[in-house]
Each structure stands twice: as C-alpha cells, then as structure tokens.
Amino acid sequence: MGTMSYAEGDVRTIEAEGNPARFARGWHCLGLADRFKDGKPHQIKVFGSELVVFADTKGELNVLDAYCRHMGGNLAHGTVKGDSIACPFHDWRWGGNGKCTDIPYARRVPPLARTRSWSTLERNGQLFVWHDPQGNPPPAHVTIPDIEGHGSPEWTPWQWNSVLVEGSHCRELVDNVVDMAHFFYVHFNTPRSFKNVFEGHIASQSMSFTPRKDKRTLDFGDDSVTQSDASYFGPAYMIDEFHADIGADEPLEAVLINCHYPVTSNSFVLQYGIIVKKMAGMSDEQAAALAKGFGDGTIATFEQDIVIWKNKTKIDNPLLCEEDGPVYQLRRWYEQFYVDVEDVSEDMIRRFEFEIDTSRAAAIWEKEMEDNLAAER
C-alpha cells in the first residue's frame, strides 16, 4: 500500500522568523523594591546587558550600567558610599544620575565622566526601570497604575516568586492574553466567559471560570466561580484582579501580578506576586496562609506554561479557529513596543474588542470531565 502524497500548497507549513534583536519599549518590573534597599549593590541581567541597582541615603533606588566607565570594573561588586556607588577597582564614585561624584586619588573629576542612568519608578512596592532603544523618557500617560489594596492593613503583603525561562521569547507569555482554550487543557479551569479589549498601550482579558472537576490547582469547591480581570500595562506588566465566589458571605478578593523582563532575545525572568484581602474574621496568619496557597497555585500554573514553552516551536502564522481568539490582533498590539515611536501605526493602538462564545466549549468540556470521572470509578 503506497504512501499518500500531497501537492505543493496542500500542507500548512510553520513560518517563524528569528526573535527581535531589540527589546520592548516600556516599564519593566525588576522585583520588590525592598530587596534592593539593604545598603548593598545588586546586579541585574536585563536587556542583553548588566545593570546595578542601589539605594541612596534617602532610600531612593538608582539604576546604572553595571560596568565602570573608567577601567570596566563591576560596580555591583563595589560598595554603596553615601549617595554613590563606588567601583571596587579604583574607587571611582558614581551618583544615581550617572555623574562621577568623586575620584579620591585625583585632583578633579573629568568633565565627561558620566555613565548611563536609567529612569526608575517605585510603585506598589515594586521597582520598575524604563527601557527605550531610542533613549526617550517615559511618557506621562504610559505608567503603572496604583493597586488599591497594596499597603492596606486589610490586605496581605506580597507573596513573590521569580523564575528564569530560557529558550523562549516573552511573546509566548503575552499570547496567553487571548488563549481561552489553554486554561482548560493546561491549567485545569473551565472558562465560562472570555473577552479581550486592546487600546493604546493596554491589553485586557476578562474571564470567568470554574475549576475542572477531575483536576484542579486550587480547590474552592465544585460550585465556585472566579472572575478574573487582567490587563497588561505596556509590554511586560499585568495586574489581574480576582473575585472568587467560594460560598462564604463575601467573595475572596486577590490581586495577581504577572510580569517579566527580558534577559536576552531568547530568555526572560518571569515574576509573579499575590496579595489577598483579609475576609471577615480572618486572622493575619490565616490570610497569609491563604495568600501562600494562591502563590503556590500560581507557581504550579506557570510551571505548566513553562513546560509547554520549552517544548513548542515558535510559530508566526498560527492556524486558528474562531474560539482561539484574536491572536493576530494581540500580536499587532504587542508590535508597537518593538518599533520606533514614529512607526507606531493606528492599527496597533486603536480600540479592538473580541468576545468568545464559550458555551459550546464548556459543554464539550463538561462531558469530557464527566467521562473522566466515570472512568475513575
């Protein structure tokens, strides 16, 4: 029996260009701000380079290129002295604005003694650095919003985790914004509604879901319904607000941060944090345990994603059905951060809305779950 042959053009082929050589324009979270305020310099591998983070005497965080412009010493191996970072090689001192403030053994500081200083932002207890290949300052309207619950005694502190993801570009993570079906097959949840809105520098996902009956990461009961409203503010920072009906007098409220920064064109650091609102009658210890449970569940969720990313191939021309959502539109929105600001086109930033009818998928999945449970009995 002979093998079947196909004429040219009958078979869909995968198209994939190399990852972008440049890194996204926008605010990138480097982690919780307090971790950098211990009086020591901290080295960060990001944007294909090395940066150093240090706090001055006022507690304000500064970010400079890591390597001294004198003879190339690593400032992250140096010492914070007053409001400056001192190089371990020859003790040249650099202020947060990038200017050399002192050379102890020299009569004067060369007038051109300057290194690169990065624009920073502290918000929600986190440190952000602005990246723009063109060197433009951050526009006032492109910022990170305040999270209302952060810092309130009614909410827990951040449960924070990070992981280096190698062999993948950041776009793999951002694609999740529109990927309704993977929440069932990868994350053990059944979407009941799913909508996307893209406008300007913000991409949003609104979803309600219930846990799968046969498998689940967090168990709030078979009848629990969770509402998730998530938005990327720029290319790398998502705020996700959860409201979970768990059968109590009030819903469980939590905020998840999903953020990342690129290390190279083919690797990134994924970070995620959780705060939870304390429910009536809940002690600080109980709230912290609940937040930890959320955090552990989030770790498991992202580990599920990472396995997929590490074993899939890059694809620029995905073959889609209607229920796959606006993948191409999301990628067009995302492209705005990889071109010069003068080349940002209207179709990258104009408002776009798309809502998926999840009723058929949910019915199919309910039947699959019932069959799985029946097979286990």
Side-chain angles (χ1 to χ4, degrees), residues 34-46:
D34 283 349
R35 67 165 287 217
F36 301 108
K37 296 184 178 182
D38 58 359
K40 301 176 182 178
H42 295 262
Q43 188 166 351
I44 301 287
K45 295 183 178 181
V46 59

Side-chain angles (χ1 to χ4, degrees), residues 218-229:
L218 290 174
D219 185 359
F220 296 137
D222 290 342
D223 297 326
S224 67
V225 178
T226 299
Q227 176 67 37
S228 164
D229 295 296

